[in-house]
Amino acid sequence: MNSLSRLAVSISLACAFPLTTYAADAPADSKGTVEVVHWWTSGGEKAAVDVLKAQVEKDGFTWKDGAVAGGGGATAMTVLKSRAVAGNPPGMAQIKGPDIQEWASTGLLDTEVLKDVAKEEKWDSLLDKKVSDTVKYEGNYVAVPVNIHRVNWLWINPEVFKKAGIEKAPATLEEFYAAGDKLKAAGFIPLAHGGQPWQDSTVFEAVVLSVMGVDGYKKALVELDNATLTGPEMVKALTELKKVATYMDADGKGQDWNLEAGKVINGKAGMQIMGDWAKSEWTAAKKVAGKDYQCVPFPGTDKAFTYNIDSLAVFKQKDKGTAAGQQDIAKVTLGEDFQKVFSINKGSIPVRIDMLNDMAKYGFDSCAQTAAKDFLADAKSGGLQPSMAHNMATTLAVQGAFFDVVTNYINDPKADPVETAKKLGAAVKSAK
Ligand code: GAL
């Protein structure tokens, strides 16, 4: 059974149950309540989501916070599925990439509620087609795109680099290993890394991109081409991944990404490979991009941009107030003010093309300006590719197959890259 039918079967039961209303929870003068499920729970990310909550409440609606802790969202997705099966989906939930299509095909997402807002606010011309296609189902918007994250970043503490005698940010894997060795010798954690499956795969996809280039990345992680998944280039990427892993924080097993980011911020570690939500922690710690920290594309990936679009999908609701609240959230989210303030806090860049073209005007820092410039250039060159580790390239089922094989490989001292590439091919094939 493919992943689509698996989700559909478990969720078809949902239609037998009544949908929730929130009348009892809301203050008497509330225009309506929207529960929003998301996983933005680190200090910096909470500051970002509070911006949306405050605006929606100012507009007279009640925001019911459905935050589910757990970076990368795996726990939030489990909660969402069981809520849907119980006939009690929230008004909105962070769902990304091909999973939006999968959820929409179950009939639980609302294809009508965003129609007027999208038309009035001209979403079709405000958004890059890659962004709007992701959040549409059969031509209708079923999710509100919030922001764009770049995943293939390397975060550096320059003070730590200086103490370890490293002169510049690594631009190749060889330079990365040399920097790692110097950091180790000077007593620092070379690479802050939490050994959770999604973090392991965030590093894996960066290494794949570096070793196999944009074409290889696309064939293996987006098109899921079996020959590429099991071929010599993948073996090479896995071999390099094992080497990168030797620099990872020895105390990082099971650690949250933000705690690992904290180690770079407070000078215990030199680097972290992480999407630019990591910047939300630097910002919350009042550190300045380009001065207190450096962001560079992961070595060997400067001509590519692995993207991750956060988006809030709309679930069908009986309550009219909730529908009005969903529309309010949609309208606020695509507004210039929100796009600016949210992304500055979250570490991301706006989804609006007009803003991406004029980042300095909105006061974005040097990391965000680089991200926007690269997003626009890579959209033209083909270097703009969906992140596998962040649900943009595949369904959750296929992503789960990657996660299992990659995490086992990193943790097994005897694992062999040739065998692992074969396993990868087989696991992905059966999850498709
Ligand atoms: C990503 C998500 C980001 C951020 C990150 C860490 O999947 O898109 O917004 O929350 O996980 O949890």
Side-chain angles (χ1 to χ4, degrees):
M1 196 190 288
N2 68 21
S3 56
L4 178 69
S5 15
R6 271 197 295 265
L7 182 64
V9 165
S10 60
I11 282 167
S12 59
L13 282 169
C15 307
F17 294 85
L19 296 168
T20 324
T21 57
Y22 293 106
D25 300 331
D29 58 348
S30 169
K31 291 187 190 163
T33 298
V34 188
E35 183 182 10
V36 184
V37 167
H38 61 89
W39 58 91
W40 298 324
T41 54
S42 80
E45 292 196 310
K46 187 173 176 313
V49 84
D50 281 350
V51 174
L52 184 55
K53 179 175 180 238
Q55 185 56 50
V56 169
E57 295 196 330
K58 208 166 145 210
D59 293 346
F61 295 92
T62 304
W63 171 282
K64 194 172 170 204
D65 201 51
V68 180
T75 319
M77 285 302 106
T78 308
V79 169
L80 188 63
K81 275 185 199 155
S82 58
R83 295 261 319 250
V85 170
N88 179 31
M92 293 174 105
Q94 149 104 328
I95 303 178
K96 298 186 297 178
D99 277 321
I100 295 176
Q101 313 301 315
E102 209 166 296
W103 277 95
S105 71
T106 66
L108 289 180
L109 298 189
D110 199 321
T111 51
E112 291 297 316
V113 77
L114 298 177
K115 260 191 186 151
D116 292 346
V117 188
K119 208 166 162 196
E120 278 157 26
E121 306 285 318
K122 304 193 172 57
W123 286 10
D124 278 346
S125 53
L126 277 186
L127 303 170
D128 182 271
K129 198 169 173 314
K130 269 216 160 99
V131 178
S132 55
D133 281 351
T134 306
V135 290
K136 277 182 180 177
Y137 177 67
E138 294 179 346
N140 298 311
Y141 285 97
V142 289
V144 183
V146 182
N147 60 342
I148 299 169
H149 279 299
R150 183 185 205 171
V151 185
N152 57 319
W153 282 120
L154 179 70
W155 302 90
I156 292 172
N157 183 325
E159 194 61 37
V160 172
F161 261 40
K162 213 168 143 200
K163 285 185 188 154
I166 308 161
E167 270 153 31
K168 66 175 197 57
T172 62
L173 282 176
E174 287 317 313
E175 288 177 13
F176 176 86
Y177 301 140
D181 290 336
K182 285 194 173 166
L183 288 163
K184 243 187 217 171
F188 294 104
I189 301 165
L191 186 64
H193 177 80
Q196 297 170 340
W198 71 271
Q199 294 186 59
D200 291 341
S201 279
T202 297
V203 175
F204 163 71
E205 72 176 25
V207 175
V208 166
L209 189 58
S210 175
V211 173
M212 302 173 66
V214 172
D215 287 348
Y217 178 96
K218 189 172 170 200
K219 269 197 173 149
L221 303 193
V222 184
E223 293 165 3
L224 310 177
D225 174 60
N226 195 265
T228 315
L229 280 169
T230 55
E233 286 288 285
M234 181 56 78
V235 173
K236 168 114 196 336
L238 287 166
T239 307
E240 298 294 344
L241 176 64
K242 208 60 180 180
K243 191 152 182 200
V244 171
T246 62
Y247 298 98
M248 288 174 176
D249 181 7
D251 296 324
K253 289 280 159 282
Q255 284 285 3
D256 289 334
W257 66 269
N258 48 314
L259 300 181
E260 290 298 317
K263 294 181 185 174
V264 193
I265 297 171
N266 67 26
K268 287 204 169 74
M271 311 182 273
Q272 184 180 27
I273 301 164
M274 188 50 68
D276 44 20
W277 48 91
K279 206 178 77 181
S280 68
E281 295 302 295
W282 290 92
T283 305
K286 308 253 175 295
K287 305 286 185 192
V288 178
K291 176 175 156 269
D292 302 317
Y293 64 98
Q294 256 184 299
C295 57
V296 292
F298 180 73
T301 72
D302 59 319
K303 296 280 179 292
F305 185 120
T306 41
Y307 67 89
N308 173 19
I309 305 163
D310 284 327
S311 43
L312 297 172
V314 279
F315 281 83
K316 281 182 188 157
Q317 299 284 326
K318 279 199 178 133
D319 186 78
K320 288 227 165 57
T322 302
Q326 291 170 326
Q327 288 162 342
D328 185 66
I329 290 179
K331 195 169 168 186
V332 169
T333 299
L334 268 288
E336 232 176 301
D337 276 356
F338 174 80
Q339 284 286 307
K340 170 185 159 174
V341 181
F342 183 84
S343 266
I344 285 179
N345 281 292
K346 184 80 165 70
S348 47
I349 55 173
V351 285
R352 290 175 50 148
I353 304 242
D354 56 341
M355 294 180 72
L356 291 173
N357 275 312
D358 212 352
M359 294 286 281
K361 174 178 140 194
Y362 296 95
F364 280 99
D365 65 22
S366 55
C367 294
Q369 291 196 33
T370 304
K373 189 168 78 30
D374 290 354
F375 177 89
L376 295 168
D378 295 341
K380 289 206 183 95
S381 71
L384 186 63
Q385 292 297 324
S387 162
M388 177 280 290
H390 294 278
N391 322 75
M392 299 305 302
T394 72
T395 59
L396 281 180
V398 172
Q399 187 202 52
F402 275 111
F403 281 14
D404 285 350
V405 176
V406 168
T407 289
N408 283 335
Y409 173 71
I410 288 182
N411 290 309
D412 178 359
K414 292 202 213 83
D416 169 58
V418 177
E419 285 308 309
T420 304
K422 281 188 198 142
K423 275 190 200 153
L424 207 51
V428 166
K429 205 172 189 176
S430 69
K432 269 206 251 181

